[in-house]
Amino acid sequence: MARRLTIALLITGLWATAAGAEDTVTRHGISAFGALKYPAGFAQFDYVNPDAPKGGTMSFRGTGASRTFDSLNPFILAGEPAQGLDHIYDSLMEPAYDEPDAVYGLLAESVTYPEDRSWVIYTLREGARFADGAPVAAADVMFTLETLKAEGSPTYRIRLKDVASVTALSPRQVRVDFADGAATRDLIADVGLIPIIPAHFYATREFDRSTLEPPLGSGPYVVEKVDAGRAITYCRNPDYWGADLAVNVGKNNFDCYRYEYYADNTGAFEAFKTGGYLFHEEFTSALWATNYDFPALEKGWIKREEIEDARPSGAQGFWLNLRRPQFADPRVRQAIGMMFNFEWSNQRLFHGLYERTDSFWENSDMQAEGLPKGAELAVLEEFRDQLPDAVFSEPAFVPKVQSPDRNLDRAVLRQAGALLDAAGWHVDPKGLRRNAEGETLPVEFVSDSPAFERIVLPFIDNLSRLGVEAKYTQVDAAQMQQRQDDFDYDVTVARYVLSMSPSIELRTLFGSESADAKGSNNLSGLADPVVDALIEKVLAAEDRETLRVRVKALDRVLRAKHIWVPNWYKGSHWIAYWDVFGKPANKPPYDRGTDYWWWDQGKYEALRETGALR
């Protein structure tokens, strides 16, 4: 690598000449379709308090697939990384959470690129440093991108697929060239959001090893204390180089962040009620409806709020593993999905607090509705001979509305049975579905969440009435992570929040290249050439209206394939927190906003006087 860097520095002049031969633009930020809300030299984002005081500790419940951690390396598949490691890293660019897809310079003071965005030069800020005082240089950016592409987790490898080369032009300039034919609209921003890691730190360490050694970054915090598997604390780096940057004004207000891990949600919530940690987001409707009547809340020590979120509401569902032969026929998958009675579950289990999800982009204008027409139909016409007729002749798939009065809707049961009959799965004398080879139809739900058992068991009961050999297996968090990494499940539960400007992440969720990549997010194992082609069309959209139309087409096709049983959604966050914080007057529309809160010492002292907090 040293030889390549030396050569790159020698030919800097050649690169400059080549770049100068094209019409280029140099900007302080970039967005998918060009427009930026904030001009060069802006002072701060509109949703922050520039005068927010510094101090105190923000504490959360530690989350993750395993409810514990055994690694401080978030870039590889091995190990379960601790939450909050993003606090110690900076990226080249920083997103604005009041714009759908704009990013502005953090480590990079500017980006230079041609009209087709086929390459970019990131110019690093003078004075950018890692926590050990070493400068952040072009060599570190080159090391980061090349290492993550070769040795990172599948998410990083797929994300960096279209990076053809990385060249250090000078200590402060790095050029990234993208592959010929790549959809380049989002690549400059996407590469710009990758955390930059120090080449010199890993010169004496194995990058691809899970470790509890505190890593080195250039961000505002450093690892202060690690209690392996139980808690981790990050505290402010007093020498942080970027504290006064416009993208950081009103942010990083707490002296420390602490993440406390608990064996289960019940233990975590009990700890929160007595001040074990200070901020809690609730994800369980039954708890939100029935468990917020404890003394600290009644006395006003804890605040309970529902805050709106303008992003798509998230793709949460029971994901069917299409790698399993019993799920090869989409009629089988559709029949299985029909046995989940959301209306009954919402009334009996969720206290009526949810709406049914039907789209991967629920609660957004990218959700397919009705019959395809106009520009969306034109996109789909190219693939008419590869898609089922229903994509064109029927409205976008929506789960059947069932009776809320009983879990088993007999009319729906008959319809699902007809689908299985047509797919060659017939009922034997014992009431089990069997195919022509005499095999039963097994469906195993695997989860590590005790809270899901009450939801899955009525679903399984309905499947059993259909003749499906269904069962529920609860495993511990470590086993669940391993089974998901190895795709060792029939059905698993997961939620993904999809972007306002869908981009490269679509390849990791739905693309053929991720279907067999161990540890990828393609839980269903979908590998379909039409889906792949539609993803590339989304990536190549040149304006927001075209993007919207193409995502609708993709959403319609994905829903027609029945790769999941969609769950439920709400367009908000349920939060509770001890009343020791201040927060800006306006929350950013595309973020929860807690990164811009601050510690209110007066509120803390008042609570401490009551004995509520130590």
Side-chain angles (χ1 to χ4, degrees), residues 197-375:
I197 56 181
H200 70 278
F201 182 79
Y202 287 101
T204 57
R205 295 166 177 84
E206 296 178 76
F207 172 79
D208 60 352
R209 184 173 65 88
S210 176
T211 178
L212 286 170
E213 178 187 7
L216 178 66
S218 65
Y221 294 88
V222 295
V223 176
E224 178 73 13
K225 183 179 179 182
V226 178
D227 183 0
R230 296 178 179 176
I232 185 167
T233 303
Y234 308 88
C235 289
R236 186 186 309 282
N237 175 7
D239 300 318
Y240 176 50
W241 69 275
D244 297 326
L245 295 178
V247 295
N248 283 332
V249 169
K251 189 182 179 186
N252 306 320
N253 298 320
F254 298 103
D255 283 346
C256 297
Y257 283 90
R258 188 174 72 252
Y259 297 83
E260 300 278 355
Y261 284 78
Y262 299 89
D264 54 45
N265 292 337
T266 300
F269 190 61
E270 291 302 313
F272 168 69
K273 291 193 295 186
T274 57
Y277 60 97
L278 301 178
F279 181 96
H280 178 83
E281 181 166 3
E282 186 57 71
F283 299 100
T284 304
S285 59
L287 293 180
W288 186 251
T290 64
N291 278 29
Y292 284 78
D293 57 358
F294 49 90
L297 188 71
E298 294 167 352
K299 294 176 181 178
W301 299 343
I302 288 178
K303 300 295 184 181
R304 178 176 182 255
E305 297 177 1
E306 183 170 353
I307 56 176
E308 297 301 312
D309 191 329
R311 293 173 294 183
S313 293
Q316 176 176 304
F318 301 104
W319 298 79
L320 307 180
N321 188 354
L322 275 58
R323 305 170 187 86
R324 301 291 208 231
Q326 68 266 35
F327 296 143
D329 192 317
R331 292 171 295 187
V332 173
R333 305 195 295 268
Q334 183 177 357
I336 289 170
M338 292 168 69
M339 290 296 94
F340 175 60
N341 187 337
F342 165 76
E343 286 72 26
W344 178 86
S345 299
N346 195 37
Q347 179 173 286
R348 294 289 296 273
L349 305 177
F350 306 151
H351 300 268
L353 294 174
Y354 290 120
E355 300 290 335
R356 182 71 190 268
T357 296
D358 52 49
S359 167
F360 293 92
W361 283 271
E362 190 67 58
N363 197 35
S364 80
D365 63 357
M366 295 177 286
Q367 174 177 348
E369 296 178 309
L371 291 167
K373 58 186 178 181

Side-chain angles (χ1 to χ4, degrees), residues 143-200:
F143 171 80
T144 298
L145 300 183
E146 291 182 344
T147 301
L148 291 178
K149 185 176 180 180
E151 303 178 47
S153 68
T155 298
Y156 283 108
R157 295 201 303 269
I158 294 170
R159 187 173 174 182
L160 293 170
K161 168 190 171 184
D162 289 327
V163 172
S165 64
V166 187
T167 309
L169 306 182
S170 73
R172 287 182 51 221
Q173 285 194 312
V174 59
R175 172 166 168 153
V176 179
D177 284 83
F178 302 115
D180 291 341
T184 59
R185 183 195 70 214
D186 303 311
L187 292 179
I188 295 173
D190 199 61
V191 169
L193 291 174
I194 290 176
I196 300 304
I197 56 181
H200 70 278

Side-chain angles (χ1 to χ4, degrees), residues 72-101:
L72 301 185
N73 185 346
F75 303 108
I76 59 174
L77 193 58
E80 178 67 26
Q83 192 177 355
L85 285 163
D86 53 305
H87 292 303
I88 73 171
Y89 294 104
D90 277 334
S91 52
L92 295 167
M93 314 295 287
E94 172 75 6
Y97 290 110
D98 54 355
E99 299 178 80
D101 49 42

Side-chain angles (χ1 to χ4, degrees), residues 101-121:
D101 49 42
V103 296
Y104 296 86
L106 178 49
L107 282 169
E109 67 182 16
S110 66
V111 288
T112 300
Y113 54 92
E115 183 177 2
D116 65 2
R117 303 191 182 192
S118 59
W119 54 266
V120 61
I121 295 173

